[in-house]
Structure formats: structure tokens, C-alpha cells
Amino acid sequence: MNVFRDFSDARGIFFHPEFIERSVVSFKNRYAGTVDALATIDGKFGVLDIKTSTGFYREYNLQTAAYVLALQEEELKQSLELPRNIETRWILRINQHRVCLKCRATLREKGGRSKVRSKRIPENVCTDDEHEWGEMEGDVELKEFPYYYSDVKAFLAAKTLWEWEHVFWLKKIGYLR
Ligand SMILES: [Zn+2]
């Protein structure tokens, strides 16, 4: 993925190789997940999550806040041997696509499936086998999420609500008493 590498180099993103796709567990709040990467950007050390999407979704705030919260727990910090405290979190959004040279429709790979999208009126769009796909183009965007405390609060509230909704099954499997 050249777009990705070029952007990372240009933006000065350092991916800590020992912290790629590591599992994080919150013993205190009981949840787990996998952090894509821990990175240093502009001297700050933080959680970097990678999304292949056309936009930023608000759920990203909750997910990344949850990772940071877990990574502040002493037990996890020690077991992962974190070199320093996590200071922030970012989303690196990568959106790669090809554009049809004839009708300007876009082709994206999403989870192994191709998705064609067109903004034009249907009569001016090629049929499936008429498209002539150009070079892979990509736009990459990095966004830092500054409102950590309100995001953590929202995450924990969402988790509590989810547990309340699923209390029957959570009791059955012994997660809740
Ligand atoms: Zn086309």
C-alpha cells in the first residue's frame, strides 16, 4: 500500500513495531479489543486505529477512548511493557479506489468485495462490463480525537446500557451476577 506508506512518511508517523495489533484487556471494566497500532506523531505517543472508510464515524471516538482507558491500567501497562503513558489517539483513514475513465464511477474494495458507486444519473453510467478502471487512487487522512474524557464517559455509558439490555444472557454466561 504505497499511499499509506507515503502518507506515513510525509506526516512523520512512527509505528512502534512491537505494538502492532496487540490485544488490550481492561480488567477493571471488563472488555477487550485489538489495537491496530501504537504510534508516535509529533512527539506524542498514542493509539492509532486504521479505518478503510470514506468518512469518520462517531463510534470511532468511543472505540479509541476505550483502548486508551484500558492502556492506562497498571496491570496492562506492565504486561505490555509500555515505554511511556498513552497521551492521545488518532484515526488513520484510508480510502482507496479506482475511478472509471468513461463514467467517473468509483470502485472500492470492502472486506474482499468490490463495490461500485456512481453519482451520475443511471443513463450515463456504464453497465457492469463497460467500466474502464483507472489507476488506484487513495486519500488518506489523519485525525486526532481531543475530547477523551467525554468519550470515555460515553463509552462506559454505552457499555452499561448494552449490559442492561443483555442482562439475561450475560447472567447465563456468568459475566454478570
Ligand atoms: Zn464506467
Side-chain angles (χ1 to χ4, degrees), residues 133-146:
W133 300 113
E135 295 267 300
M136 184 75 88
E137 298 173 29
D139 63 300
V140 185
E141 202 180 340
L142 180 76
K143 202 168 178 177
E144 185 172 2
F145 294 126

Side-chain angles (χ1 to χ4, degrees), residues 100-105 124-127 130-133:
C100 175
L101 303 171
K102 285 149 94 181
C103 76
R104 308 302 297 165
N124 298 331
V125 175
C126 316
T127 59
E130 285 171 346
H131 291 300
E132 204 176 294
W133 300 113

Side-chain angles (χ1 to χ4, degrees), residues 79 126 140 151 154 161:
S79 70
C126 316
V140 185
D151 289 350
L161 179 63

Side-chain angles (χ1 to χ4, degrees), residues 12-31:
I13 303 175
F14 178 75
F15 290 89
H16 295 262
E18 68 277 35
F19 298 117
I20 304 288
E21 293 212 346
R22 294 294 294 266
S23 315
V24 298
V25 181
S26 166
F27 297 100
K28 209 174 131 206
N29 293 298
R30 296 202 295 176
Y31 59 86

Side-chain angles (χ1 to χ4, degrees), residues 1 4 8 13-25 32-41 45-53 56 60 63-68 71 80 82 86 88-94 141-142 145:
M1 267 207 289
F4 177 66
S8 302
I13 303 175
F14 178 75
F15 290 89
H16 295 262
E18 68 277 35
F19 298 117
I20 304 288
E21 293 212 346
R22 294 294 294 266
S23 315
V24 298
V25 181
T34 304
V35 175
D36 288 337
L38 297 184
T40 299
I41 307 172
F45 183 54
V47 163
L48 191 146
D49 218 50
I50 297 163
K51 303 286 184 198
T52 50
S53 60
F56 287 94
Y60 297 171
Q63 191 193 353
T64 55
Y67 292 152
V68 173
L71 287 163
L80 288 176
L82 282 194
I86 296 288
T88 191
R89 61 225 155 96
W90 304 272
I91 293 287
L92 185 66
R93 188 186 63 79
I94 305 162
E141 202 180 340
L142 180 76
F145 294 126

